[in-house]
């Protein structure tokens, strides 16, 4: 826990200048994928509990549904879980319902 705390408070170098990190885990840092997997493991469990087929790579998730209507309903129901229970932000401009062949 001490090491994680130190990483979170270490700050980042950007364009040769030190910047304090105020929120979250610095993107590209060694702690980022670990924290992402720890947090999103709960999403994996929730999707399994709901009976969904899905694939997750890092912080991207594909949830497979049989129909567009089912996919829209799933999206509407899973966003509140991600934001309300996991306290993560969903990028709504990148989040979409589409046919798997178009990804």
């Amino acid at each position: 826990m001490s090491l994680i705390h130190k990483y979170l408070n270490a700050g980042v170098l950007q364009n040769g200048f030190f910047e304090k990190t105020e929120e979250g885990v610095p993107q590209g840092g060694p702690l980022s994928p670990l924290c992402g997997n720890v947090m999103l493991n709960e999403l994996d469990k929730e999707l399994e509990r709901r009976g969904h087929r899905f694939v997750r790579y890092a912080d991207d998730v594909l949830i497979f549904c049989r129909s567009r209507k089912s996919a829209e309903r799933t999206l509407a129901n899973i966003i509140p879980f991600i934001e309300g229970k996991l306290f993560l932000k969903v990028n709504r401009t990148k989040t979409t319902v589409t046919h798997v062949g178009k990804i």
Side-chain angles (χ1 to χ4, degrees):
M1 291 304 288
S2 174
L3 184 59
I4 291 172
H5 186 269
K6 287 176 185 175
Y7 266 114
L8 292 174
N9 292 311
V12 294
L13 279 178
Q14 218 159 19
N15 299 323
F17 294 99
F18 174 79
E19 289 185 25
K20 186 174 174 140
T21 48
E22 300 291 331
E23 183 178 87
V25 180
Q27 188 172 358
L31 192 59
S32 183
L34 174 66
C35 288
N37 278 320
V38 168
M39 292 300 295
L40 292 173
N41 184 56
E42 295 305 313
L43 175 62
D44 295 349
K45 288 180 184 178
E46 181 66 14
L47 292 170
E48 288 172 357
R49 187 186 71 74
R50 294 181 185 195
H52 291 294
R53 290 195 229 171
F54 65 96
V55 173
R56 183 169 62 81
Y57 180 76
D59 63 346
D60 292 323
V61 181
L62 298 177
I63 304 170
F64 302 101
C65 300
R66 295 194 184 276
S67 69
R68 181 172 197 83
K69 187 175 182 177
S70 174
E72 289 168 351
R73 187 174 52 246
T74 298
L75 179 60
N77 289 322
I78 206 65
I79 287 177
F81 175 82
I82 295 168
E83 293 181 337
K85 301 279 186 188
L86 301 180
F87 303 104
L88 298 172
K89 295 177 188 173
V90 174
N91 185 336
R92 292 170 193 253
T93 59
K94 289 173 53 179
T95 302
T96 184
V97 171
T98 189
H99 189 273
V100 71
K102 295 182 181 178
I103 297 176

